[in-house]
Amino acid sequence: DTGVSQDPRHKITKRGQNVTFRCDPISEHNRLYWYRQTLGQGPEFLTYFQNEAQLEKSRLLSDRFSAERPKGSFSTLEIQRTEQGDSAMYLCASSLVGGDSQNYGYTFGSGTRLTVV
Amino acid sequence: RKEVEQDPGPFNVPEGATVAFNCTYSNSASQSFFWYRQDCRKEPKLLMSVYSSGNEDGRFTAQLNRASQYISLLIRDSKLSDSATYLCVVNPYSSASKIIFGSGTRLSIRP
């Protein structure tokens, strides 16, 4: 396991199209997070999962966005009816939260860069 | 008010200089604190955690002031390879919750 993998690395789509991104976390990590980053800003939290349960969604995650982690392993982030404002880097991270509720560090993937034209 | 605020910079300093960044956070109950480094078009990577008593890792020193709700990062003897964006990161609720990023401070080291 070489870390968190994201696919695709780059995606160019026309406005109004749907896109789906995939994230494969580090296998022993139980938490998976999605962040979005635009130019000149830090990553903004979108949502996170504990195993297959989606525990929190940001208000940034409009109805056009949906994330799943069906078997508690990989996750997908889908954006429907894309808009130019959706253009950003979408980052996935995973971490291990132990029984002591301590978080033993986040690892980020390389991200998917989305351009909506 | 943003949960985590940083001066965006850019800081442009000569090689060998000492440079310091500050960051403020709004939630006084925040549990844990970090500095991440992000190179252009790359993912963020953990630089160091920030402990209450302050901590050092080579040329890097991090400090936390809970009373004033700010975190600092000091880089001594800066190298060209230190050029990057430095992100202040906070766990605002518990160590098991999500982390919140500041907007980052850009640092450029010139020869």
Side-chain angles (χ1 to χ4, degrees), chain A residues 4-11 19-25 34 74-77 90-92 109-113:
Chain A
V4 179
S5 299
Q6 291 190 245
D7 184 69
R9 292 293 304 274
H10 303 276
K11 177 73 176 178
V19 293
T20 300
F21 310 141
R22 177 180 170 123
C23 171
D24 286 89
W34 285 100
F74 73 91
S75 175
T76 57
L77 177 68
Y90 289 84
L91 291 160
C92 176
S110 300
T112 294
R113 185 169 296 280

Side-chain angles (χ1 to χ4, degrees), chain A residues 31 33 35 37 40-43 45 48 56 89 91 97 101-103 106 108-110 113, chain B residues 2 34 36 38 41-44 46 87 91 93 95-104:
Chain A
R31 286 276 178 99
Y33 308 79
Y35 285 80
Q37 186 173 26
Q41 299 297 315
F45 169 76
Y48 82 90
E56 187 175 347
M89 172 77 89
L91 291 160
V97 174
S101 295
Q102 288 300 309
N103 196 319
Y106 292 72
F108 280 84
S110 300
R113 185 169 296 280
Chain B
K2 286 188 175 180
F34 312 90
Y36 274 67
Q38 187 172 28
R41 294 184 170 270
K42 300 283 190 181
E43 72 274 21
L46 179 65
L87 296 158
N91 253 132
Y93 308 110
S95 65
S97 72
K98 63 185 185 286
I99 53 176
I100 302 296
F101 287 81
S103 55

